[in-house]
Amino acid sequence: MITLIQLSDCHLLKDKDKTGYTGIAPYDSLARVLTDIQNCIVQEVASEPEQRAKHQVIVLVTGDISGDNSPESYQHFIALMEQHIEPACIEWFVLAGNHDNNPYFEKYLGSRHLKSNDPISFPNWQIHGMDTRATSNRYTAAGEVKESDIQALEQSLTTSPQANHLIALHHHILPSNSWMDKHSLVDAQRLVSLTDEYPQIKAFVHGHVHSPLRQQIGTNNTPSYGSPSTCWQWEMRPEFGVSNEASGYQVMNLMDDGMVNVTVKTQTN
């Protein structure tokens, strides 16, 4: 079994103490989330070393790590990961979100960037990353599907048809019927068509919507799992709104037979 711990939309700022929506300081909120992961999950796995070879644990952060395009925001992020995740020898990877469309993301996190042409590979699973940052306008919150990502995914799906495949990206694929759809994923139909052609795609995971959005993609009803943000949450409604839901993350157990079990973890404020 593989446990994939997904964090998303940290929106870290240069000033650790600065607060955003609902009075939440992104730095403090992420620190609490990582402490929870360290206490409840990492230690649980680490306490069973004989099972460690059979039970792989990975942390994946699906974009919008920065909230202000500052180098300090990425420095804060790395320091927190080094403090809470690395002591347990847990591998961690990142994706870029629209707020990471800046030079500092690659400078500080390029070596951790999960790219479509280099998936995380296990005997029964491949975990792919997509870069949905817009290339035509770095300031837009909308995303785009890149031809290079589609080609790399098809290459892996064709050469490893016996494996189960999970695709991670920042933007949501289908409309959420909320105000966040004005920041949607251009050419998302390319991914829908991919699921129709390749049933070995078992799930999508994404961030962006700051909500545990649940959808089914294509004729194979491939599940898509949105993650809560590690800071504030959005209301999934047509008008802009901030939810009173707590910050959180989600834990995905990827079973050898291709099943995916997902649990949303929220903080008690």
Side-chain angles (χ1 to χ4, degrees):
M1 184 175 74
I2 302 161
T3 295
L4 177 65
I5 303 171
Q6 183 197 3
L7 315 178
S8 201
D9 299 271
C10 309
H11 290 270
L12 295 177
L13 306 170
K14 177 179 180 179
D15 183 351
K16 292 181 181 180
D17 299 322
K18 187 174 181 179
T19 60
Y21 293 101
T22 67
I24 291 175
Y27 179 89
D28 291 339
S29 186
L30 176 59
R32 288 195 297 271
V33 165
L34 291 174
T35 298
D36 186 67
I37 292 172
Q38 186 178 28
N39 292 338
C40 299
I41 296 174
V42 173
Q43 288 185 8
E44 177 183 330
V45 174
S47 67
E48 302 175 357
E50 69 279 3
Q51 297 296 323
R52 189 61 182 271
K54 299 178 181 179
H55 186 178
Q56 301 290 328
V57 181
I58 294 170
V59 173
L60 177 62
V61 187
T62 51
D64 280 5
I65 292 166
S66 178
D68 62 1
N69 293 309
S70 68
E72 291 86 356
S73 61
Y74 295 105
Q75 292 167 357
H76 297 331
F77 175 76
I78 292 170
L80 285 172
M81 298 299 281
E82 289 176 345
Q83 177 183 351
H84 295 283
I85 302 302
E86 292 188 8
C89 299
I90 300 296
E91 285 289 335
W92 59 273
F93 302 86
V94 298
L95 298 178
N98 49 281
H99 282 281
D100 300 308
N101 212 346
N102 59 62
Y104 303 116
F105 175 83
E106 291 297 338
K107 177 180 179 180
Y108 289 101
L109 294 172
S111 63
R112 299 281 186 173
H113 190 186
L114 180 60
K115 299 180 180 179
S116 57
N117 62 357
D118 188 18
I120 306 168
S121 295
F122 298 98
N124 295 314
W125 281 90
Q126 288 192 3
I127 301 172
H128 307 266
M130 291 184 63
D131 185 350
T132 55
R133 289 177 293 184
T135 55
S136 57
N137 179 8
R138 60 174 289 192
Y139 299 106
T140 182
E144 64 180 40
V145 174
K146 297 178 175 65
E147 181 62 29
S148 58
D149 278 337
I150 295 295
Q151 291 179 0
L153 289 170
E154 287 189 315
Q155 175 72 15
S156 291
L157 291 163
T158 301
T159 57
S160 301
Q162 76 289 349
N164 304 301
H165 296 259
L166 181 145
I167 300 174
L169 66 165
H170 178 68
H171 290 80
H172 57 301
I173 300 170
L174 299 180
S176 63
N177 298 318
S178 78
W179 63 275
M180 281 296 290
D181 290 338
K182 67 180 180 180
H183 307 308
S184 61
L185 181 64
V186 178
D187 290 335
Q189 183 59 40
R190 298 292 305 278
L191 287 176
V192 178
S193 299
L194 210 61
T195 65
D196 294 341
E197 186 174 355
Y198 298 99
Q200 59 265 45
I201 300 175
K202 300 302 182 182
F204 292 93
V205 296
H206 66 86
H208 193 50
V209 294
H210 292 224
S211 174
L213 182 67
R214 299 294 186 256
Q215 296 180 313
Q216 293 182 322
I217 311 295
T219 56
N220 289 318
N221 293 321
T222 305
S224 177
Y225 302 98
S227 175
S229 165
T230 61
C231 53
W232 47 79
Q233 314 307 310
W234 300 136
E235 288 277 10
M236 291 291 95
R237 67 185 189 192
E239 305 81 20
F240 172 81
V242 182
S243 170
N244 60 4
E245 294 293 323
S247 59
Y249 60 100
Q250 56 188 8
V251 179
M252 304 181 174
N253 289 324
L254 311 181
M255 315 306 290
D256 290 345
D257 61 1
M259 293 294 294
V260 180
N261 299 323
V262 184
T263 303
V264 174
K265 304 284 189 177
T266 55
Q267 296 295 291
T268 54
N269 297 326

